[in-house]
Amino acid sequence: MRAAVLAAPQAAAAQLRHQATPSGRPAAAFVAARPQLQQRRASGSRSGRDARLLCRAAAQAAEGGKLISKVEIPAFIPRPDLIDQLVRWAMIEVQENGVANCGMPCKVTPFKREDQLWGFTVSFLKDGEPAADVRVAFDEEITLKHDWVGRGADGFPVLEGNAEEVVGKNFEIRKVCDRQINDATRSAIRSFCQQLVSSVNKYYAFGSCFVDDAT
């Protein structure tokens, strides 16, 4: 996400600070041009203090409503690359290691929009059957991507340059089933959200969901 925080619907969404490219890695892999770097810094300058709100609110909201949480993703973030990495991350960390990372077995199914990879659905399994289905995907809203972020007369950042429409303004987590969930499933959803937030923050900071302390 590169750092995005998914916050509960009633909480203000926060975005984590973009971090510089780690030394020893090709700068081109993460930064295309100076103006875009300025935009990343401007868009990702808010604190990540609301990250924990997602993890607490997600499981509570999942039981009673469809929308668990959403956050607006800056327009300069490439949607196809972000979701491709998250799906691959989910296959490894959630499907293959669901018991270890989430507390119960999980199945991950890619979700497509008009034949384009748009998200994924996590089925939390109990006795081999789905106890809850949670989908992570972009919405259908339009956002505008500008060439760069400049500085206005008042000293505050302003969007400048040409504007390009980008589909998928918000990144959402939704409960896509009508099953009631118990404490074990609620805890598994919470753990999944914690893992998801971490992977999104890694993408924002380093351009990859697979970075760890040893990288």
Side-chain angles (χ1 to χ4, degrees), residues 2 73-88 111 113 115-119 138 145 164 166-168 171 203 209:
R2 60 138 161 149
I73 300 298
F76 65 84
I77 297 296
R79 271 61 178 163
D81 182 59
L82 171 59
I83 205 62
D84 176 72
Q85 290 202 33
L86 283 176
V87 169
R88 290 189 286 115
F111 171 70
R113 168 187 173 274
D115 294 328
Q116 180 182 2
L117 186 62
W118 205 241
F138 289 104
K145 180 174 70 174
E164 174 188 349
V166 176
V167 181
F171 198 55
Y203 183 89
C209 297

Side-chain angles (χ1 to χ4, degrees), residues 29-208:
F30 307 106
V31 180
R34 179 74 179 179
Q36 225 177 33
L37 175 59
Q38 293 174 342
Q39 184 172 356
R40 289 191 181 96
R41 288 173 175 168
S43 299
S45 61
R46 287 177 293 177
S47 165
R49 61 185 177 275
D50 288 337
R52 293 184 297 274
L53 290 178
L54 168 69
C55 305
R56 292 196 299 265
Q60 297 173 357
E63 187 168 12
K66 290 186 177 180
L67 180 64
I68 297 176
S69 182
K70 71 176 182 179
V71 68
E72 181 176 346
I73 300 298
F76 65 84
I77 297 296
R79 271 61 178 163
D81 182 59
L82 171 59
I83 205 62
D84 176 72
Q85 290 202 33
L86 283 176
V87 169
R88 290 189 286 115
W89 165 83
M91 288 290 186
I92 298 170
E93 300 297 335
V94 181
Q95 178 165 288
E96 296 183 11
N97 297 284
V99 174
N101 292 332
C102 300
M104 64 190 307
C106 298
K107 178 182 179 181
V108 174
T109 305
F111 171 70
K112 292 186 177 182
R113 168 187 173 274
E114 299 178 355
D115 294 328
Q116 180 182 2
L117 186 62
W118 205 241
F120 60 92
T121 302
V122 178
S123 297
F124 297 86
L125 307 177
K126 180 180 180 181
D127 300 327
E129 297 295 327
D133 297 317
V134 174
R135 178 170 296 158
V136 178
F138 289 104
D139 64 8
E140 300 289 328
E141 291 191 45
I142 302 294
T143 187
L144 295 178
K145 180 174 70 174
H146 291 77
D147 289 336
W148 64 82
V149 175
R151 185 184 297 271
D154 56 2
F156 288 95
V158 293
L159 299 175
E160 297 179 349
N162 297 323
E164 174 188 349
E165 288 189 350
V166 176
V167 181
K169 180 178 182 179
N170 300 298
F171 198 55
E172 298 181 337
I173 302 177
R174 289 183 174 271
K175 180 172 177 274
V176 291
C177 69
D178 57 2
R179 305 180 192 93
Q180 296 296 313
I181 61 175
N182 57 24
D183 289 342
T185 305
R186 187 179 299 109
S187 177
I189 294 174
R190 183 184 300 112
S191 297
F192 163 68
C193 291
Q194 290 173 336
Q195 298 285 330
L196 178 63
V197 167
S198 177
S199 67
V200 167
N201 290 341
K202 289 175 182 178
Y203 183 89
Y204 252 43
F206 304 107
S208 171

